[in-house]
Amino acid sequence: MPLSAERKAEYFVKMKELLSTYTKCFIVEVDNVGSMQLQTTRKGLRGRAEVLMGKNTMMRKVLKEFVEENPGTPMEQLIAMCRGNVGFVFTNGDLGEIREILESNTRPAPARVGSLAPISVIVPKGPTGCDPGQTAFFQTLQIATKITKGQIEMTNDTPLIAAGEKVTASQAALLQKLSIEPFTYGLNLKAVYDGGSLFDAKVLDITDAVLAFKFGEACNALASICLAIHYPTMASVPHCLANAFKAVVSVTLGLEGTYTFEKAETFKAFLA
């Protein structure tokens, strides 16, 4: 049912207010997310973030008007993101904390006929709880079975559905017989907008620890190159000093007491 002119006006005002109030937002995909699950997510975000859903045409129109009213605003980047079944989660808080809340609110779901599998599904071997009269059903799906203690038992782990494939009626029926709900659905993070920059949500996987490790690796590589070409830098100078000290100690030990210095005494005592 289309919104009335009054409701549309309220929506436009609300979205423009959110765009003006918040400097960060997640663009989320909400495929297969029910209204109750969405309501639970809103409750979990209360006081930290606001979820806004709507038709893509309306959201694009609001964004275009906002850009016209605020020339040069980086929010213009969000217009291109209004594709598919998407929404916005606005916040001024820590993006990592908001992400944890969004990703924690997922629900198991059965495989529906005709839906695209978000992940590959492998049915584990073992007893199925099905009586021997249903053997033909498993044979149709080319699943190796045997009869054990009056029930059908799968003899091998069976790759049933590949990620991206459409679920067939037979596959859905088998998963239902085995009481397997292979998929989980929730708000899928598509992109992140932060202070004028739009980037993939996977960037949030880069923690301070990861950055420190990568920086250390880069410093080691730079130091190795500089030492090889005899070009001093801040990364290589500590290694140059250490190598010089080793050389001086080696010469001192080779002089057999003719010359020594305080720092070399430790090494002389060790070799004595």
Side-chain angles (χ1 to χ4, degrees), residues 35 53 73:
S35 58
M53 309 301 299
T73 176

Side-chain angles (χ1 to χ4, degrees), residues 168-188:
T168 65
S170 298
Q171 292 168 339
L174 174 62
L175 292 170
Q176 185 176 3
K177 283 179 182 291
L178 301 178
S179 300
I180 295 176
E181 293 184 331
F183 306 140
T184 56
Y185 293 116
L187 274 66
N188 181 37

Side-chain angles (χ1 to χ4, degrees), residues 15 19 27 56-57 59-68 73-83 86 88 198:
M15 186 169 179
L19 292 170
I27 297 88
N56 290 336
T57 51
M59 292 192 291
R60 283 196 293 267
K61 189 172 181 180
V62 176
L63 285 165
K64 287 176 182 177
E65 286 189 6
F66 185 81
V67 171
E68 290 174 1
T73 176
M75 292 283 187
E76 187 175 3
Q77 301 172 83
L78 299 178
I79 297 175
M81 302 305 298
C82 298
R83 296 284 185 276
V86 300
F88 294 98
L198 185 67

Side-chain angles (χ1 to χ4, degrees), residues 47-111:
R48 301 183 182 183
E50 290 198 49
V51 180
L52 180 74
M53 309 301 299
K55 292 183 178 179
N56 290 336
T57 51
M58 283 182 59
M59 292 192 291
R60 283 196 293 267
K61 189 172 181 180
V62 176
L63 285 165
K64 287 176 182 177
E65 286 189 6
F66 185 81
V67 171
E68 290 174 1
E69 295 167 3
N70 302 271
T73 176
M75 292 283 187
E76 187 175 3
Q77 301 172 83
L78 299 178
I79 297 175
M81 302 305 298
C82 298
R83 296 284 185 276
N85 194 12
V86 300
F88 294 98
V89 179
F90 293 94
T91 184
N92 282 329
D94 183 76
L95 290 172
E97 292 180 3
I98 302 302
R99 180 194 185 191
E100 287 181 9
I101 296 172
L102 293 174
E103 291 184 339
S104 66
N105 189 21
T106 58
R107 296 289 183 274

Side-chain angles (χ1 to χ4, degrees), residues 113-184:
V113 178
S115 63
L116 293 177
I119 58 171
S120 297
V121 178
I122 298 176
V123 180
K125 64 182 179 181
T128 63
C130 299
D131 62 83
Q134 301 183 54
T135 303
F137 179 79
F138 289 86
Q139 290 176 343
T140 302
L141 292 171
Q142 298 181 341
I143 298 175
T145 61
K146 64 180 181 180
I147 306 301
T148 305
K149 297 181 180 179
Q151 64 174 320
I152 298 173
E153 181 177 328
M154 295 174 56
T155 57
N156 300 303
D157 291 342
T158 304
L160 187 65
I161 310 172
E165 285 186 354
K166 279 190 176 182
V167 179
T168 65
S170 298
Q171 292 168 339
L174 174 62
L175 292 170
Q176 185 176 3
K177 283 179 182 291
L178 301 178
S179 300
I180 295 176
E181 293 184 331
F183 306 140
T184 56

